[in-house]
Amino acid sequence: MGPDSNATGGESNGSAWEARLIDGFEGDGFSPAGGLYYRENAEQSAGTVEFQREVTHGSAGALKLSVRPIWNGKRHRSERAEVWERTALRVPYDKAVWYGFSVRFADPIPQDDHRHLIAQWKREIGPGAKGDFSPFLALRLVRGRLFATVETTFPVGQSSLPVSAGTPGLTPVWLRPEKRQMRALVATDPHWEPRDGRLFKAYTDRIAMVDRGNGLPAPQSGWIDFAVMTRPGPDGSGHIELFANDRWVVTVRGHVGHAEQGLGARQYFKFGPYRSAAHGGWSLYYDNFRRSTRSEDVLGPAGLAALRAETAAEGTPSP
């Protein structure tokens, strides 16, 4: 396998994962300072990458990622145009790291009721792993609505609780025992309707949310700047912070991610349109990618102030 394959492995180049990464997509290719690349494979052949200067967000350029139909809507096929972190820079699975990026949905915004992702965080999957492991955190689209999900292992013996407004303190989940996974619904946009979340029919106490009073922006609202802290913890120590447009959306703690045999030692991030095979095209613009172990390198002033105030009140160090 090449240096940017999806193989498992230990940390590369010592503490390379601690390096601050940044790319404003202002040139004609990926900046060496950003540590990003476009992955080549069959599903990615549906995609195109354009470094353009007409639609930007505070910089001289931005990335346009597009997918086109190559499977004629065939079931169990996917079409992608995703940009990945380089393998040597991937973060250990048990470490906290901050990511930031801006995204804008091009018209038309897909209104389909099937899989559409714009960004995802995953654990390395080795050849000995059994199963198809979904991202432990993903930003998704359904029927033109934006939402976020967190994934973890389906606990053996957990009972299925019906969705009820009278179930305080629990998080709605889609139970998938056939995949040995369950998916939590952790944030939605203002246009979200009950039927959009019809799969999330159970509740769990294994994933806890703190609603920070701000939903996700609507896809049609223009540029959305995300700031995300990830620290997976399949044992219950997981921690995620999600900000959008410098507003705190949600804190997620608990069982985050997977620890099955054959999975690798690191987490990784990729962004770009990823969908089930469909008809027609889909394009997204991305700008202002950054990654750091320090929140102040990624968050805006309002988000940073809110985070510091909360952590000071709790008497805990800022993540």
Side-chain angles (χ1 to χ4, degrees), residues 161-167 172-173 197 200-203:
L161 300 175
V163 171
S164 168
T167 314
V173 289
F200 300 89
K201 296 179 179 180
Y203 280 114

Side-chain angles (χ1 to χ4, degrees), residues 193-272:
E193 298 179 358
R195 62 172 173 159
D196 298 321
R198 69 185 187 280
L199 294 175
F200 300 89
K201 296 179 179 180
Y203 280 114
T204 185
D205 60 359
R206 292 169 63 86
I207 299 172
M209 297 189 306
V210 178
D211 185 342
R212 299 298 183 176
N214 300 291
L216 295 173
Q220 62 269 28
S221 63
W223 280 102
I224 303 171
D225 187 75
F226 286 103
V228 182
M229 191 278 284
T230 64
R231 191 187 71 204
D235 61 353
S237 63
H239 183 188
I240 290 171
E241 300 287 0
L242 174 59
F243 291 74
N245 289 342
D246 211 20
R247 294 182 176 181
W248 204 348
V249 176
V250 68
T251 298
V252 181
R253 294 183 182 273
H255 296 261
V256 175
H258 308 279
E260 280 77 356
Q261 185 175 359
L263 296 179
R266 296 174 294 183
Q267 57 180 298
Y268 64 96
F269 172 58
K270 52 183 178 174
F271 63 87

Side-chain angles (χ1 to χ4, degrees), residues 27-200:
D28 296 324
F30 293 108
S31 168
L36 300 173
Y37 76 105
Y38 186 80
R39 191 177 180 89
E40 300 289 349
N41 59 34
E43 292 183 352
Q44 294 271 116
S45 67
T48 58
V49 185
E50 181 183 353
F51 292 84
Q52 53 84 51
R53 293 168 176 80
E54 295 180 0
V55 181
T56 67
H57 187 48
S59 66
L63 196 63
K64 183 179 182 181
L65 299 174
S66 305
V67 290
R68 59 185 175 84
I70 61 172
W71 303 113
N72 196 31
K74 189 175 181 179
R75 292 189 62 189
H76 308 301
R77 295 287 189 175
S78 299
E79 295 157 344
R80 308 174 184 250
E82 292 183 314
V83 171
W84 295 52
E85 293 175 288
R86 291 201 173 274
T87 304
L89 300 173
R90 291 178 181 176
V91 178
Y93 198 59
D94 61 348
K95 301 297 183 182
V97 65
W98 284 88
Y99 290 89
F101 64 96
S102 303
V103 63
R104 183 183 179 97
F105 287 77
D107 290 327
I109 297 171
Q111 301 296 313
D112 308 75
D113 189 7
H114 61 71
R115 183 174 67 243
H116 288 81
L117 283 78
I118 68 168
Q120 53 179 313
W121 290 257
K122 300 194 72 172
R123 184 171 188 167
E124 293 175 321
I125 303 174
K130 296 181 179 179
D132 179 15
F133 295 91
S134 296
F136 65 81
L137 171 64
L139 296 174
R140 302 173 181 268
L141 195 71
V142 64
R143 297 178 57 246
R145 275 81 162 173
L146 189 61
F147 67 112
T149 61
V150 168
E151 199 97 12
T152 193
T153 300
F154 181 83
V156 176
Q158 169 149 330
S159 61
S160 176
L161 300 175
V163 171
S164 168
T167 314
L170 299 182
T171 298
V173 289
W174 173 22
L175 301 178
R176 303 196 296 158
E178 75 285 355
K179 297 283 189 180
R180 295 180 293 124
Q181 300 175 67
M182 64 179 183
R183 179 174 298 169
L185 178 65
V186 300
T188 60
D189 79 6
H191 303 297
W192 189 262
E193 298 179 358
R195 62 172 173 159
D196 298 321
R198 69 185 187 280
L199 294 175
F200 300 89

